[in-house]
Short mmCIF file of all heavy atoms in Angstrom, two decimals:
data_model
loop_
_atom_site.label_atom_id
_atom_site.label_comp_id
_atom_site.label_asym_id
_atom_site.label_seq_id
_atom_site.Cartn_x
_atom_site.Cartn_y
_atom_site.Cartn_z
N ARG A 1 51.99 -44.84 46.30
CA ARG A 1 52.30 -46.25 46.36
C ARG A 1 52.08 -46.88 44.99
O ARG A 1 51.10 -46.57 44.32
CB ARG A 1 51.40 -46.88 47.40
CG ARG A 1 51.62 -48.34 47.57
CD ARG A 1 50.76 -48.84 48.68
NE ARG A 1 50.27 -50.13 48.28
CZ ARG A 1 49.85 -51.04 49.12
NH1 ARG A 1 49.80 -50.79 50.38
NH2 ARG A 1 49.43 -52.19 48.70
N THR A 2 52.99 -47.75 44.59
CA THR A 2 52.85 -48.41 43.29
C THR A 2 52.70 -49.91 43.49
O THR A 2 53.07 -50.46 44.51
CB THR A 2 54.06 -48.15 42.38
OG1 THR A 2 55.22 -48.67 43.02
CG2 THR A 2 54.24 -46.67 42.10
N LEU A 3 52.15 -50.55 42.49
CA LEU A 3 52.02 -52.00 42.52
C LEU A 3 53.38 -52.64 42.31
O LEU A 3 54.25 -52.07 41.66
CB LEU A 3 51.09 -52.47 41.39
CG LEU A 3 49.64 -52.06 41.50
CD1 LEU A 3 48.91 -52.41 40.22
CD2 LEU A 3 48.99 -52.74 42.68
N PRO A 4 53.60 -53.84 42.84
CA PRO A 4 54.87 -54.53 42.58
C PRO A 4 55.06 -54.69 41.08
O PRO A 4 54.13 -54.97 40.35
CB PRO A 4 54.67 -55.91 43.24
CG PRO A 4 53.56 -55.72 44.22
CD PRO A 4 52.69 -54.62 43.67
N GLY A 5 56.28 -54.49 40.63
CA GLY A 5 56.58 -54.63 39.21
C GLY A 5 56.35 -53.35 38.42
O GLY A 5 56.66 -53.29 37.24
N MET A 6 55.79 -52.32 39.04
CA MET A 6 55.45 -51.10 38.32
C MET A 6 56.52 -50.02 38.48
O MET A 6 56.39 -48.94 37.93
CB MET A 6 54.11 -50.54 38.81
CG MET A 6 52.93 -51.39 38.44
SD MET A 6 52.64 -51.49 36.67
CE MET A 6 52.03 -49.86 36.33
N GLU A 7 57.56 -50.27 39.25
CA GLU A 7 58.54 -49.24 39.53
C GLU A 7 59.24 -48.75 38.25
O GLU A 7 59.36 -47.56 38.02
CB GLU A 7 59.59 -49.74 40.53
CG GLU A 7 59.03 -49.99 41.92
CD GLU A 7 58.30 -51.30 42.06
OE1 GLU A 7 58.45 -52.20 41.20
OE2 GLU A 7 57.55 -51.45 43.03
N ALA A 8 59.71 -49.65 37.44
CA ALA A 8 60.44 -49.29 36.22
C ALA A 8 59.51 -49.43 35.02
O ALA A 8 58.73 -50.37 34.93
CB ALA A 8 61.65 -50.20 36.05
N ARG A 9 59.59 -48.51 34.12
CA ARG A 9 58.84 -48.56 32.86
C ARG A 9 57.34 -48.69 33.10
O ARG A 9 56.64 -49.34 32.35
CB ARG A 9 59.33 -49.71 31.98
CG ARG A 9 60.79 -49.68 31.68
CD ARG A 9 61.22 -50.91 30.91
NE ARG A 9 60.92 -52.10 31.67
CZ ARG A 9 60.62 -53.27 31.15
NH1 ARG A 9 60.61 -53.42 29.86
NH2 ARG A 9 60.35 -54.30 31.89
N ARG A 10 56.83 -48.09 34.15
CA ARG A 10 55.45 -48.35 34.54
C ARG A 10 54.42 -47.89 33.52
O ARG A 10 53.32 -48.41 33.50
CB ARG A 10 55.15 -47.76 35.89
CG ARG A 10 55.28 -46.27 35.97
CD ARG A 10 55.05 -45.81 37.36
NE ARG A 10 55.24 -44.37 37.41
CZ ARG A 10 55.16 -43.68 38.48
NH1 ARG A 10 54.90 -44.27 39.61
NH2 ARG A 10 55.35 -42.40 38.45
N LEU A 11 54.75 -46.93 32.68
CA LEU A 11 53.78 -46.48 31.70
C LEU A 11 53.97 -47.13 30.34
O LEU A 11 53.25 -46.83 29.40
CB LEU A 11 53.82 -44.95 31.57
CG LEU A 11 53.40 -44.20 32.82
CD1 LEU A 11 53.47 -42.70 32.59
CD2 LEU A 11 52.01 -44.60 33.27
N SER A 12 54.91 -48.05 30.24
CA SER A 12 55.11 -48.77 28.98
C SER A 12 54.23 -50.01 28.98
O SER A 12 53.74 -50.46 30.02
CB SER A 12 56.57 -49.20 28.84
OG SER A 12 56.89 -50.18 29.82
N LEU A 13 54.02 -50.56 27.81
CA LEU A 13 53.23 -51.79 27.69
C LEU A 13 53.84 -52.92 28.53
O LEU A 13 53.13 -53.55 29.32
CB LEU A 13 53.10 -52.19 26.22
CG LEU A 13 52.21 -53.38 25.92
CD1 LEU A 13 50.80 -53.18 26.45
CD2 LEU A 13 52.19 -53.62 24.42
N PRO A 14 55.16 -53.18 28.43
CA PRO A 14 55.74 -54.21 29.29
C PRO A 14 55.62 -53.88 30.77
O PRO A 14 55.41 -54.77 31.60
CB PRO A 14 57.21 -54.25 28.86
CG PRO A 14 57.23 -53.72 27.46
CD PRO A 14 56.14 -52.69 27.44
N GLY A 15 55.72 -52.60 31.12
CA GLY A 15 55.60 -52.19 32.52
C GLY A 15 54.21 -52.43 33.06
O GLY A 15 54.03 -52.91 34.18
N MET A 16 53.19 -52.07 32.28
CA MET A 16 51.81 -52.30 32.71
C MET A 16 51.50 -53.78 32.82
O MET A 16 50.84 -54.23 33.76
CB MET A 16 50.84 -51.61 31.76
CG MET A 16 50.85 -50.10 31.89
SD MET A 16 49.61 -49.28 30.88
CE MET A 16 50.44 -49.26 29.28
N ALA A 17 52.01 -54.58 31.87
CA ALA A 17 51.80 -56.02 31.92
C ALA A 17 52.49 -56.63 33.14
O ALA A 17 51.92 -57.49 33.82
CB ALA A 17 52.30 -56.67 30.64
N ALA A 18 53.69 -56.16 33.45
CA ALA A 18 54.41 -56.65 34.63
C ALA A 18 53.64 -56.32 35.90
O ALA A 18 53.53 -57.15 36.81
CB ALA A 18 55.81 -56.06 34.68
N GLY A 19 53.09 -55.12 35.97
CA GLY A 19 52.30 -54.73 37.14
C GLY A 19 51.05 -55.58 37.30
O GLY A 19 50.70 -55.99 38.40
N LEU A 20 50.38 -55.85 36.19
CA LEU A 20 49.17 -56.68 36.24
C LEU A 20 49.51 -58.11 36.65
O LEU A 20 48.82 -58.71 37.48
CB LEU A 20 48.45 -56.67 34.89
CG LEU A 20 47.17 -57.49 34.80
CD1 LEU A 20 46.19 -57.11 35.90
CD2 LEU A 20 46.56 -57.33 33.42
N ARG A 21 50.60 -58.66 36.09
CA ARG A 21 51.00 -60.02 36.49
C ARG A 21 51.37 -60.06 37.96
O ARG A 21 51.04 -61.03 38.66
CB ARG A 21 52.17 -60.50 35.62
CG ARG A 21 51.78 -60.83 34.20
CD ARG A 21 52.86 -61.58 33.43
NE ARG A 21 54.20 -61.14 33.71
CZ ARG A 21 54.82 -60.11 33.09
NH1 ARG A 21 54.17 -59.43 32.17
NH2 ARG A 21 56.06 -59.80 33.39
N ALA A 22 52.04 -59.03 38.46
CA ALA A 22 52.40 -58.97 39.88
C ALA A 22 51.15 -58.90 40.76
O ALA A 22 51.09 -59.56 41.81
CB ALA A 22 53.31 -57.78 40.14
N LEU A 23 50.17 -58.13 40.34
CA LEU A 23 48.92 -58.04 41.09
C LEU A 23 48.21 -59.39 41.13
O LEU A 23 47.74 -59.84 42.18
CB LEU A 23 48.01 -56.98 40.47
CG LEU A 23 46.62 -56.84 41.09
CD1 LEU A 23 46.72 -56.40 42.54
CD2 LEU A 23 45.78 -55.86 40.28
N LEU A 24 48.12 -60.05 39.97
CA LEU A 24 47.49 -61.37 39.92
C LEU A 24 48.21 -62.35 40.82
O LEU A 24 47.58 -63.12 41.56
CB LEU A 24 47.46 -61.89 38.48
CG LEU A 24 46.57 -61.12 37.50
CD1 LEU A 24 46.78 -61.63 36.08
CD2 LEU A 24 45.12 -61.22 37.90
N ALA A 25 49.54 -62.35 40.78
CA ALA A 25 50.33 -63.26 41.62
C ALA A 25 50.13 -62.96 43.10
O ALA A 25 49.98 -63.88 43.92
CB ALA A 25 51.81 -63.17 41.25
N ALA A 26 50.09 -61.67 43.46
CA ALA A 26 49.92 -61.28 44.86
C ALA A 26 48.55 -61.72 45.40
O ALA A 26 48.41 -62.04 46.57
CB ALA A 26 50.08 -59.77 45.01
N ARG A 27 47.58 -61.74 44.51
CA ARG A 27 46.22 -62.14 44.90
C ARG A 27 45.97 -63.64 44.72
O ARG A 27 44.91 -64.13 45.07
CB ARG A 27 45.18 -61.36 44.10
CG ARG A 27 45.22 -59.89 44.32
CD ARG A 27 44.66 -59.57 45.66
NE ARG A 27 44.58 -58.13 45.84
CZ ARG A 27 44.63 -57.56 47.02
NH1 ARG A 27 44.73 -58.28 48.10
NH2 ARG A 27 44.57 -56.27 47.12
N GLY A 28 46.93 -64.33 44.12
CA GLY A 28 46.76 -65.76 43.89
C GLY A 28 45.72 -66.07 42.83
O GLY A 28 45.05 -67.11 42.88
N VAL A 29 45.60 -65.19 41.84
CA VAL A 29 44.58 -65.33 40.80
C VAL A 29 45.23 -65.80 39.51
O VAL A 29 46.26 -65.30 39.09
CB VAL A 29 43.87 -63.97 40.55
CG1 VAL A 29 42.92 -64.07 39.38
CG2 VAL A 29 43.17 -63.52 41.80
N ARG A 30 44.60 -66.79 38.88
CA ARG A 30 45.03 -67.23 37.55
C ARG A 30 43.84 -67.01 36.61
O ARG A 30 42.77 -67.59 36.81
CB ARG A 30 45.42 -68.70 37.54
CG ARG A 30 46.00 -69.10 36.20
CD ARG A 30 46.43 -70.56 36.20
NE ARG A 30 47.13 -70.90 34.99
CZ ARG A 30 46.59 -70.99 33.78
NH1 ARG A 30 45.31 -70.72 33.62
NH2 ARG A 30 47.31 -71.33 32.73
N PRO A 31 43.99 -66.13 35.62
CA PRO A 31 42.86 -65.80 34.75
C PRO A 31 42.33 -67.01 33.97
O PRO A 31 43.09 -67.83 33.49
CB PRO A 31 43.44 -64.77 33.78
CG PRO A 31 44.73 -64.34 34.34
CD PRO A 31 45.20 -65.42 35.23
N ARG A 32 41.01 -67.08 33.86
CA ARG A 32 40.38 -68.08 33.00
C ARG A 32 40.14 -67.48 31.62
O ARG A 32 39.80 -68.18 30.69
CB ARG A 32 39.06 -68.52 33.61
CG ARG A 32 39.25 -69.19 34.94
CD ARG A 32 37.94 -69.57 35.53
NE ARG A 32 38.01 -70.99 35.85
CZ ARG A 32 36.96 -71.74 36.00
NH1 ARG A 32 35.75 -71.24 35.85
NH2 ARG A 32 37.10 -73.01 36.29
N GLY A 33 40.30 -66.18 31.54
CA GLY A 33 40.14 -65.46 30.29
C GLY A 33 40.54 -64.02 30.51
O GLY A 33 40.68 -63.57 31.65
N TRP A 34 40.78 -63.32 29.42
CA TRP A 34 41.19 -61.91 29.47
C TRP A 34 40.21 -61.11 28.64
O TRP A 34 39.82 -61.53 27.56
CB TRP A 34 42.57 -61.75 28.85
CG TRP A 34 43.68 -62.49 29.53
CD1 TRP A 34 44.05 -63.77 29.31
CD2 TRP A 34 44.57 -61.98 30.52
NE1 TRP A 34 45.12 -64.10 30.09
CE2 TRP A 34 45.47 -63.02 30.85
CE3 TRP A 34 44.71 -60.74 31.15
CZ2 TRP A 34 46.47 -62.85 31.78
CZ3 TRP A 34 45.72 -60.60 32.07
CH2 TRP A 34 46.59 -61.64 32.39
N VAL A 35 39.83 -59.95 29.14
CA VAL A 35 39.04 -58.99 28.37
C VAL A 35 39.74 -57.65 28.48
O VAL A 35 40.04 -57.20 29.58
CB VAL A 35 37.59 -58.87 28.92
CG1 VAL A 35 36.81 -57.83 28.13
CG2 VAL A 35 36.89 -60.22 28.87
N GLY A 36 40.03 -57.07 27.34
CA GLY A 36 40.71 -55.78 27.35
C GLY A 36 40.08 -54.82 26.37
O GLY A 36 39.77 -55.19 25.25
N HIS A 37 39.87 -53.59 26.83
CA HIS A 37 39.36 -52.54 25.97
C HIS A 37 40.51 -51.62 25.59
O HIS A 37 41.31 -51.24 26.45
CB HIS A 37 38.27 -51.74 26.68
CG HIS A 37 37.81 -50.56 25.90
ND1 HIS A 37 38.23 -49.28 26.18
CD2 HIS A 37 36.99 -50.47 24.83
CE1 HIS A 37 37.68 -48.45 25.32
NE2 HIS A 37 36.92 -49.14 24.49
N SER A 38 40.62 -51.29 24.34
CA SER A 38 41.64 -50.41 23.81
C SER A 38 43.03 -50.92 24.20
O SER A 38 43.37 -52.06 23.91
CB SER A 38 41.39 -48.98 24.29
OG SER A 38 42.22 -48.08 23.60
N ALA A 39 43.83 -50.11 24.89
CA ALA A 39 45.18 -50.54 25.25
C ALA A 39 45.17 -51.71 26.24
O ALA A 39 46.13 -52.45 26.34
CB ALA A 39 45.97 -49.37 25.83
N GLY A 40 44.07 -51.88 26.95
CA GLY A 40 43.95 -53.02 27.87
C GLY A 40 44.06 -54.36 27.15
O GLY A 40 44.56 -55.34 27.71
N ALA A 41 43.62 -54.40 25.91
CA ALA A 41 43.76 -55.62 25.12
C ALA A 41 45.23 -55.91 24.84
O ALA A 41 45.68 -57.06 24.91
CB ALA A 41 42.98 -55.51 23.81
N ALA A 42 45.99 -54.86 24.56
CA ALA A 42 47.42 -55.03 24.32
C ALA A 42 48.14 -55.47 25.59
O ALA A 42 49.06 -56.28 25.56
CB ALA A 42 48.02 -53.73 23.78
N VAL A 43 47.71 -54.95 26.74
CA VAL A 43 48.30 -55.36 28.02
C VAL A 43 48.02 -56.85 28.26
O VAL A 43 48.91 -57.59 28.68
CB VAL A 43 47.76 -54.51 29.19
CG1 VAL A 43 48.22 -55.05 30.52
CG2 VAL A 43 48.21 -53.06 29.03
N ALA A 44 46.81 -57.29 27.97
CA ALA A 44 46.47 -58.71 28.14
C ALA A 44 47.35 -59.59 27.26
O ALA A 44 47.89 -60.61 27.70
CB ALA A 44 44.99 -58.94 27.83
N VAL A 45 47.52 -59.21 26.00
CA VAL A 45 48.36 -59.98 25.08
C VAL A 45 49.80 -60.00 25.59
O VAL A 45 50.46 -61.04 25.60
CB VAL A 45 48.29 -59.41 23.65
CG1 VAL A 45 49.34 -60.04 22.75
CG2 VAL A 45 46.89 -59.62 23.07
N GLN A 46 50.30 -58.85 26.05
CA GLN A 46 51.68 -58.78 26.55
C GLN A 46 51.85 -59.68 27.78
O GLN A 46 52.89 -60.32 27.93
CB GLN A 46 52.05 -57.33 26.89
CG GLN A 46 53.51 -57.15 27.22
CD GLN A 46 54.41 -57.38 26.02
OE1 GLN A 46 54.19 -56.78 24.97
NE2 GLN A 46 55.39 -58.23 26.15
N CYS A 47 50.85 -59.73 28.65
CA CYS A 47 50.92 -60.61 29.83
C CYS A 47 51.12 -62.06 29.41
O CYS A 47 51.95 -62.77 29.97
CB CYS A 47 49.64 -60.49 30.66
SG CYS A 47 49.55 -59.02 31.68
N VAL A 48 50.35 -62.49 28.43
CA VAL A 48 50.43 -63.88 27.98
C VAL A 48 51.74 -64.14 27.25
O VAL A 48 52.34 -65.20 27.40
CB VAL A 48 49.20 -64.23 27.11
CG1 VAL A 48 49.35 -65.59 26.48
CG2 VAL A 48 47.93 -64.16 27.96
N LEU A 49 52.20 -63.17 26.46
CA LEU A 49 53.48 -63.35 25.77
C LEU A 49 54.64 -63.44 26.77
O LEU A 49 55.56 -64.22 26.58
CB LEU A 49 53.73 -62.20 24.79
CG LEU A 49 52.86 -62.18 23.55
CD1 LEU A 49 53.12 -60.90 22.76
CD2 LEU A 49 53.09 -63.40 22.70
N ASP A 50 54.57 -62.63 27.83
CA ASP A 50 55.63 -62.62 28.83
C ASP A 50 55.59 -63.85 29.74
O ASP A 50 56.62 -64.30 30.23
CB ASP A 50 55.55 -61.37 29.70
CG ASP A 50 55.90 -60.10 28.94
OD1 ASP A 50 56.51 -60.21 27.86
OD2 ASP A 50 55.57 -59.01 29.44
N GLU A 51 54.40 -64.36 29.99
CA GLU A 51 54.25 -65.51 30.89
C GLU A 51 53.22 -66.47 30.28
O GLU A 51 52.03 -66.41 30.60
CB GLU A 51 53.80 -65.04 32.27
CG GLU A 51 53.93 -66.10 33.32
CD GLU A 51 53.73 -65.55 34.72
OE1 GLU A 51 54.05 -64.38 34.97
OE2 GLU A 51 53.27 -66.33 35.55
N PRO A 52 53.66 -67.37 29.39
CA PRO A 52 52.74 -68.26 28.68
C PRO A 52 51.86 -69.12 29.59
O PRO A 52 50.80 -69.56 29.16
CB PRO A 52 53.68 -69.13 27.83
CG PRO A 52 54.89 -68.28 27.63
CD PRO A 52 55.04 -67.50 28.91
N ALA A 53 52.26 -69.33 30.84
CA ALA A 53 51.42 -70.10 31.76
C ALA A 53 50.09 -69.39 32.02
O ALA A 53 49.14 -70.04 32.47
CB ALA A 53 52.16 -70.32 33.08
N LEU A 54 50.00 -68.11 31.71
CA LEU A 54 48.76 -67.36 31.90
C LEU A 54 47.86 -67.41 30.67
O LEU A 54 46.84 -66.72 30.64
CB LEU A 54 49.08 -65.90 32.24
CG LEU A 54 49.79 -65.65 33.56
CD1 LEU A 54 50.12 -64.16 33.71
CD2 LEU A 54 48.96 -66.13 34.73
N ALA A 55 48.23 -68.21 29.69
CA ALA A 55 47.45 -68.27 28.45
C ALA A 55 46.01 -68.67 28.73
O ALA A 55 45.73 -69.61 29.48
CB ALA A 55 48.08 -69.26 27.47
N ALA A 56 45.10 -67.91 28.16
CA ALA A 56 43.66 -68.14 28.27
C ALA A 56 43.03 -67.35 27.12
O ALA A 56 43.70 -66.50 26.51
CB ALA A 56 43.14 -67.64 29.63
N PRO A 57 41.77 -67.60 26.82
CA PRO A 57 41.14 -66.84 25.74
C PRO A 57 41.23 -65.33 26.00
O PRO A 57 41.11 -64.87 27.13
CB PRO A 57 39.68 -67.30 25.78
CG PRO A 57 39.75 -68.68 26.39
CD PRO A 57 40.87 -68.61 27.39
N ILE A 58 41.45 -64.58 24.93
CA ILE A 58 41.53 -63.12 25.02
C ILE A 58 40.42 -62.51 24.17
O ILE A 58 40.29 -62.84 22.99
CB ILE A 58 42.89 -62.60 24.53
CG1 ILE A 58 44.02 -63.15 25.41
CG2 ILE A 58 42.92 -61.06 24.51
CD1 ILE A 58 45.41 -62.80 24.91
N VAL A 59 39.64 -61.63 24.78
CA VAL A 59 38.61 -60.88 24.06
C VAL A 59 39.10 -59.45 23.96
O VAL A 59 39.37 -58.80 24.97
CB VAL A 59 37.25 -60.93 24.78
CG1 VAL A 59 36.23 -60.06 24.07
CG2 VAL A 59 36.76 -62.37 24.91
N SER A 60 39.24 -58.97 22.74
CA SER A 60 39.68 -57.60 22.49
C SER A 60 38.47 -56.77 22.10
O SER A 60 37.82 -57.03 21.10
CB SER A 60 40.72 -57.61 21.36
OG SER A 60 41.03 -56.29 21.00
N VAL A 61 38.17 -55.76 22.92
CA VAL A 61 37.05 -54.87 22.65
C VAL A 61 37.63 -53.56 22.11
O VAL A 61 38.23 -52.79 22.84
CB VAL A 61 36.23 -54.60 23.92
CG1 VAL A 61 35.06 -53.67 23.63
CG2 VAL A 61 35.76 -55.91 24.54
N ASN A 62 37.49 -53.36 20.79
CA ASN A 62 38.06 -52.18 20.16
C ASN A 62 39.53 -52.04 20.53
O ASN A 62 40.01 -50.98 20.92
CB ASN A 62 37.26 -50.93 20.54
CG ASN A 62 37.52 -49.77 19.61
OD1 ASN A 62 37.86 -49.96 18.46
ND2 ASN A 62 37.38 -48.56 20.11
N GLY A 63 40.24 -53.16 20.45
CA GLY A 63 41.61 -53.23 20.93
C GLY A 63 42.61 -52.43 20.13
O GLY A 63 42.54 -52.37 18.91
N ALA A 64 43.53 -51.83 20.84
CA ALA A 64 44.64 -51.11 20.22
C ALA A 64 45.82 -52.07 20.18
O ALA A 64 46.78 -51.94 20.92
CB ALA A 64 44.98 -49.86 21.03
N LEU A 65 45.70 -53.08 19.34
CA LEU A 65 46.75 -54.09 19.24
C LEU A 65 47.80 -53.65 18.25
O LEU A 65 47.50 -53.22 17.15
CB LEU A 65 46.14 -55.44 18.84
CG LEU A 65 45.11 -55.99 19.80
CD1 LEU A 65 44.50 -57.27 19.24
CD2 LEU A 65 45.69 -56.24 21.17
N LEU A 66 49.03 -53.77 18.66
CA LEU A 66 50.16 -53.39 17.83
C LEU A 66 50.90 -54.64 17.41
O LEU A 66 50.86 -55.66 18.11
CB LEU A 66 51.10 -52.47 18.62
CG LEU A 66 50.44 -51.24 19.23
CD1 LEU A 66 51.41 -50.54 20.17
CD2 LEU A 66 49.97 -50.30 18.14
N PRO A 67 51.63 -54.60 16.31
CA PRO A 67 52.42 -55.78 15.95
C PRO A 67 53.54 -56.00 16.96
O PRO A 67 54.20 -55.06 17.39
CB PRO A 67 52.97 -55.44 14.58
CG PRO A 67 52.80 -53.97 14.40
CD PRO A 67 51.73 -53.52 15.35
N TRP A 68 53.69 -57.24 17.38
CA TRP A 68 54.78 -57.61 18.28
C TRP A 68 55.91 -58.17 17.44
O TRP A 68 55.70 -58.95 16.52
CB TRP A 68 54.32 -58.66 19.29
CG TRP A 68 53.66 -58.03 20.47
CD1 TRP A 68 54.27 -57.68 21.63
CD2 TRP A 68 52.29 -57.68 20.62
NE1 TRP A 68 53.37 -57.11 22.49
CE2 TRP A 68 52.14 -57.10 21.89
CE3 TRP A 68 51.18 -57.76 19.81
CZ2 TRP A 68 50.93 -56.63 22.37
CZ3 TRP A 68 49.98 -57.29 20.28
CH2 TRP A 68 49.86 -56.73 21.55
N HIS A 69 57.13 -57.77 17.75
CA HIS A 69 58.31 -58.17 17.00
C HIS A 69 58.33 -59.69 16.87
O HIS A 69 58.30 -60.42 17.86
CB HIS A 69 59.58 -57.68 17.71
CG HIS A 69 60.83 -58.08 17.00
ND1 HIS A 69 61.15 -57.58 15.75
CD2 HIS A 69 61.79 -58.95 17.33
CE1 HIS A 69 62.29 -58.13 15.37
NE2 HIS A 69 62.70 -58.97 16.30
N GLY A 70 58.37 -60.18 15.64
CA GLY A 70 58.47 -61.60 15.37
C GLY A 70 57.15 -62.34 15.41
O GLY A 70 57.08 -63.52 15.13
N LEU A 71 56.06 -61.65 15.78
CA LEU A 71 54.77 -62.33 15.87
C LEU A 71 53.73 -61.80 14.90
O LEU A 71 52.68 -62.39 14.75
CB LEU A 71 54.22 -62.23 17.31
CG LEU A 71 55.08 -62.90 18.38
CD1 LEU A 71 54.49 -62.62 19.75
CD2 LEU A 71 55.17 -64.39 18.15
N ALA A 72 53.98 -60.65 14.31
CA ALA A 72 52.97 -60.08 13.43
C ALA A 72 53.47 -60.00 12.01
O ALA A 72 54.62 -60.01 11.72
CB ALA A 72 52.59 -58.69 13.90
#
């Protein structure tokens, strides 16, 4: 069984971010902040870039942040 939004590109950064946003929406949760370790930090940033309404402080713990096209 997969999370909603994880069917396509599930192992890509956009796919993981889509799955996390779908999980948050299904649970009715709106983050007050994001904490991500390693690639989790990149997933948090991608979530906010894809859906700016989810913007909240982001804490990157040893984050594997990559340049985003047009933003870095």
Side-chain angles (χ1 to χ4, degrees):
R1 180 176 141 158
T2 60
L3 294 171
M6 291 295 288
E7 293 80 16
R9 304 175 301 150
R10 63 183 177 183
L11 295 180
S12 67
L13 185 57
M16 289 185 278
L20 180 54
R21 288 192 321 275
L23 176 63
L24 293 173
R27 297 287 185 207
V29 174
R30 186 178 187 291
R32 298 178 126 201
W34 299 86
V35 177
H37 174 259
S38 191
V43 172
V45 170
Q46 189 67 52
C47 283
V48 173
L49 289 174
D50 291 343
E51 193 169 330
L54 295 176
I58 298 174
V59 176
S60 173
V61 181
N62 197 27
L65 300 176
L66 305 171
W68 275 268
H69 179 67
L71 298 175

